[in-house]
Amino acid sequence: MILLEEAIEYVKIPRKIFEPISDMVKVGLYKDEQEALKRLVHDQAEQKIDYYGKKVAEMEKKYDTDFSAFEKRIQSRVGEEDFEEWDDFIIWESYVTASRYWEKFL
């Protein structure tokens, strides 16, 4: 039996890593380090969602459909394979998954 305390791994992070965040607080960009980290993660999430949203839009335009309909089309095929579409499906799915992942940080 593994105790929870044994499963937790601690990582030492040098204080130097947090200096830029502390500097942003010192100049008044953020109230404190916690707010700075939250905002930075939020901003990063917005950028990622925008990036993946554009990639999804490119695929929607290419196939003139949304991901859900395209997925059904791919899965309903019997016998014949279109390798370009299959490759695009895998890439498109990764864009959708990545976008959903970053949405959790908003």
Side-chain angles (χ1 to χ4, degrees):
M1 179 166 98
I2 296 176
L3 297 174
L4 181 58
E5 293 137 4
E6 295 173 7
I8 297 173
E9 184 176 329
Y10 293 95
V11 177
K12 280 194 166 196
I13 299 174
R15 192 169 227 17
K16 188 177 189 176
I17 289 176
F18 293 103
E19 285 177 10
I21 294 170
S22 295
D23 291 343
M24 286 187 266
V25 172
K26 286 176 188 171
V27 298
L29 293 174
Y30 301 102
K31 177 179 71 172
D32 56 29
E33 285 82 0
Q34 184 175 353
E35 180 192 353
L37 285 172
K38 282 181 182 179
R39 287 298 317 154
L40 292 169
V41 169
H42 183 272
D43 292 349
Q44 179 70 15
E46 284 182 334
Q47 290 174 4
K48 293 291 187 177
I49 291 166
D50 181 58
Y51 171 79
Y52 291 118
K54 288 176 182 173
K55 292 297 189 180
V56 166
E58 289 173 10
M59 295 301 243
E60 288 173 344
K61 182 178 180 183
K62 180 177 181 178
Y63 290 101
D64 193 31
T65 191
D66 64 7
F67 177 73
S68 180
F70 187 72
E71 181 178 31
K72 287 176 187 169
R73 183 166 98 189
I74 292 293
Q75 292 176 346
S76 68
R77 286 218 171 113
V78 179
E80 75 178 67
E81 292 278 337
D82 183 324
F83 292 110
E84 179 184 358
E85 284 189 1
W86 180 252
D87 289 345
D88 283 347
F89 168 73
I90 292 169
I91 292 167
W92 195 348
E93 183 178 42
S94 71
Y95 296 153
V96 170
T97 301
S99 183
R100 288 179 184 151
Y101 169 80
W102 284 104
E103 286 172 359
K104 294 185 285 186
F105 296 98
L106 295 181

